[in-house]
Amino acid sequence: MTLRERAFSLWQATESRLDRAFGAGANPLRRLGAIAFLLFWAAAASGIYLYIFLDTSAAGAWRSVEAVSREQWPIGSVIRGLHRYASDALVVVMFAHLLREYLAGHARGFRWFSWISGVPLIVLLYASGIGGYWLVWDQLALFSATATAEWLDWIGMTSEPFARNFLSSEQVIDRLFTLFIFLHIGLPLALLAGMWVHVQRVSRPDSFPSRNLAAGTAIALVVLAAAWPVQSLPQANPAQVPATLALDWFYLFPHPVMYATSPGALWAMVTGAAVLLLVLPWLGRKSRLPVAVVSAGDCNGCGRCFADCPYSAIVLVPHTSKHLAPRMAEVQPALCAGCGICAGACPSSTPFRSSDAFASGIDMPGRKIAALRGELERALAALRAGPRVVVFGCDRAADVAAVRAADTAALSLICAGMLPPSFVEYALRNGADGVLVTGCADGACDYRFGQRWLEERFAGTREPHLRANVPRERLRVVWAGNGSLPELANCVASFRASLTERRPGDESIMRPKRALQASHAQP
Amino acid sequence: MTRTSPARYLLQAAFYLPLMVLIGYFSSAPVFVHLPAGEALLRLSIAHAAERMQACRERSQEELAKLPPNMRAAQDCPRERSPLLIELEIDGRLQLRTEALPAGTQRDGLATLYHRLPIAAGTHRIVVRMRDRPQGEFNYVREETLNLAGGDSVLIDFNASRGGLEFRR
Ligand code: HEM
Ligand code: SF4
Ligand code: SF4
């Protein structure tokens, strides 16, 4: 395991621990992107309120902001606090989200678009936040505006140093202040647009937290805003330089860094960090998996793969053979993660088909459904002592080959979500006493929806269903995650202990096989 | 769905609380010491188009004849401007001597200088000198005795229309 992978198991262990307090669906560590969206909306809403009362001149701004805090106490004060703390929390949550995605290995491979489109969001968030501090026009605002101007002047974008504007009161003109307001509205709008682009690459983006999580976050922010009111520093005065400044380190830390080093050094750090983040997707090896391939003759255009693809890589197009169906699936290779979840969704992926060399409607090159059936049949034939267990695992989680034994067959899929439910039935009908499915840690599917779709298919709430006549006590799902092999072995052992061995060929637990051919198409 | 038990709410609060404290604290603390106590800040900010490197020259008749008709200007003025040479002296000690280059690929734009210098509070004799031509003596000099309190901000600017270098507080 690399250091990154080890750090990620630690992160996942923390996530699992938090599940106990929040439940997987409302676990903040699992839903950082969604919380970031929520915090953005909280800052936007409170910002609109503050803007209504803002005097948009340099001379009047300070007083008008203080008035919201003091004269509209407690409502104004809490809303001001909400604006500040939601913005601060957004920084924390965004970097936590970045760290999680990095540790999960999501900087590389087919996710490059999500990663690259995330980087400008950092810049836009900082530009929005720092500019927000200027609207108060207190000592901190003057300090921050001057420091920013000194920084920008280092590369000499304007013919005259921008910092000159802030050097004396006569030059701090209202027109400049209008620009600040324009920036503090325009930049967050650009951030929102960037956030929208950022989630285009995934289907059903998790961009709003569950009610519980949203409520918890909102309560925490309001309590914080009420308990720790935000205050301005004294009004800006260009003739004075404050000796000490109480500043917001989440947004304004670059200023002290610049004064401790130099504007040039800060530029080097910022561009260095940006370049590093931007080249990360291409550092190190992570070859892309082969993309899904549609077999037109086996596709009836049902659209299940289209509905289940976590990366919106499938489109439905007019069928090449109109007599088969009006539509068929088409994969957009540039978007495909190669996860195989579509193969698990396709009704043509059933092993109860007669032909030896059948194709699924949508198949993964090198991991065809027909080959999977062959592999399963051979593994079943090789099983000796009982009760016989078939373990289906996933390449992204613990390597299930390690539990292979005389009584245990182990097959690894690209993602657990690639498993067509009919394979469970097929295994039980062909000699297995039980089927165990495992994969990434609970709620942490590396391909986003593999676990969810699999569980829903097993529960019969999502197509294709696992047929109702399959005895559920002979099926177990264990989200064992990565690197927990002893735990997985224990799970297999305890599952086996719950199973009774059947005589080979005994199908009394289910209806006869012949009647079931292609049955899942009409559940 | 199972109802959330009170114990769960407590656990959730236990998760949120440290984050709230972290965010509340670093949102305005620790204070940043921008200027040590008892110091004032001197800022030199100059933006000025200096004289040309080479004086303009009258073109001779032959030279003019060689030029295309639309380019026959009587004078040949090389665009490049001189750098600014600037000195700052405080209480008899030279604190800064620097050249500011004109902007632009042709070096024909404004030469700018921005320099911040913290200085102990008290009375100081401050001299600024500037030369905006390629050779010769400093052609702008300004000398002043300032009585500075801690936290004072002084700007040294150049304004040609007001006679050159000036101190502003
Ligand atoms: C304001 C800042 C940000 C917001 C609001 C945000 C929000 C989101 C959301 C909602 C998702 C979808 C999550 C899902 O449905 O599974 C997502 C995914 C992602 N984000 Fe961000 N993000 C932000 C910043 C960043 C940054 C700075 C990076 C890294 C440079 C980043 C990297 C990623 C990656 C790699 C994914 C893809 C995850 C996957 O494919 O499974 N994000 N983000
Ligand atoms: S392999 Fe995965 S990403 Fe590619 S089309 Fe199928 S479901 Fe979508
Ligand atoms: S799930 Fe299979 S049959 Fe349905 S549209 Fe996709 S490839 Fe075609």
Side-chain angles (χ1 to χ4, degrees), chain A residues 32-53:
Chain A
L32 292 163
I35 301 182
F37 263 88
L38 177 74
L39 292 171
F40 177 86
W41 293 124
S46 50
I48 289 170
Y49 181 90
L50 295 177
Y51 180 67
I52 293 171
F53 299 99

Side-chain angles (χ1 to χ4, degrees), chain B residues 14 32 37 45 53 112 120 134 142:
Chain B
F32 168 57
S45 168
M53 261 330 227
T112 60
R142 179 90 187 202

Side-chain angles (χ1 to χ4, degrees), chain B residues 84 114 126:
Chain B
L84 298 178
Y114 182 87
I126 298 175

Side-chain angles (χ1 to χ4, degrees), chain A residues 164-183:
Chain A
R164 282 170 66 83
N165 291 312
F166 307 118
L167 288 176
S168 78
S169 41
E170 56 190 277
Q171 288 179 358
V172 181
I173 41 172
D174 281 349
R175 205 173 30 194
L176 201 56
F177 207 74
T178 311
L179 172 72
F180 294 170
I181 293 168
F182 177 76
L183 284 178

Side-chain angles (χ1 to χ4, degrees), chain A residues 84 88 150 164 241 243 245 249, chain B residues 27 30 32 34 45 114 151-152:
Chain A
R84 162 82 72 97
D88 285 342
E150 287 175 8
R164 282 170 66 83
V241 180
L245 286 156
W249 291 84
Chain B
S27 185
F32 168 57
H34 181 37
S45 168
Y114 182 87
D152 278 359

Side-chain angles (χ1 to χ4, degrees), chain A residues 345-360:
Chain A
C346 182
S348 306
S349 289
T350 170
F352 293 105
R353 287 172 70 176
S354 40
S355 159
D356 270 349
F358 72 95
S360 168

